[in-house]
Amino acid sequence: LMEAAVGSLAGAGQVIFSSPKEMIMVQMQLSSSWRAPGPPTSGGTALTVIRNLGVGGLYKGAGATLLRDVPFAAIYFSCYSRVKAAMQGDRESLTILEQLVAGTACA
């Protein structure tokens, strides 16, 4: 249960910090696709995107992303913890390869 709670917090934190970056990237890509090739113009800067959308606009779609990422992270953290413990047995730690296998199995 603790792993699921920590995973949920990690998923929510990831969305809070990555959503604005993703929105800026998408808006900049859209603005550059509608202009002629050449050097970037002021229409494609992050500040212009923030001016046009406002700070709240940077989080458009974040609700859907939260609904996707929070449950995934909760399930992933729980699964990884259990698989890792099962693989570890009485040993002190797992090798990096074993950790990779445990993580891949849960993804």
Side-chain angles (χ1 to χ4, degrees):
L1 187 60
M2 179 61 105
E3 294 90 359
V6 171
S8 296
L9 286 173
Q14 182 265 326
V15 170
I16 289 168
F17 290 106
S18 69
S19 286
K21 174 192 66 95
E22 294 293 328
M23 180 60 80
I24 289 171
M25 286 179 9
V26 167
Q27 293 299 317
M28 290 175 71
Q29 289 169 352
L30 288 172
S31 72
S32 67
S33 68
W34 291 101
R35 63 175 179 79
T41 63
S42 64
T45 66
L47 287 175
T48 303
V49 173
I50 293 169
R51 280 188 204 111
N52 290 340
L53 296 177
V55 175
L58 294 177
Y59 288 94
K60 276 186 184 172
T65 307
L66 278 168
L67 289 174
R68 178 195 67 190
D69 288 358
V70 170
F72 169 79
I75 293 167
Y76 177 80
F77 274 55
S78 296
C79 176
Y80 177 71
S81 176
R82 284 173 173 62
V83 168
K84 188 175 155 189
M87 289 175 68
Q88 190 170 341
D90 292 335
R91 294 184 295 158
E92 190 172 312
S93 63
L94 296 176
T95 66
I96 291 178
L97 182 60
E98 289 171 325
Q99 291 177 33
L100 178 66
V101 168
T104 303
C106 294

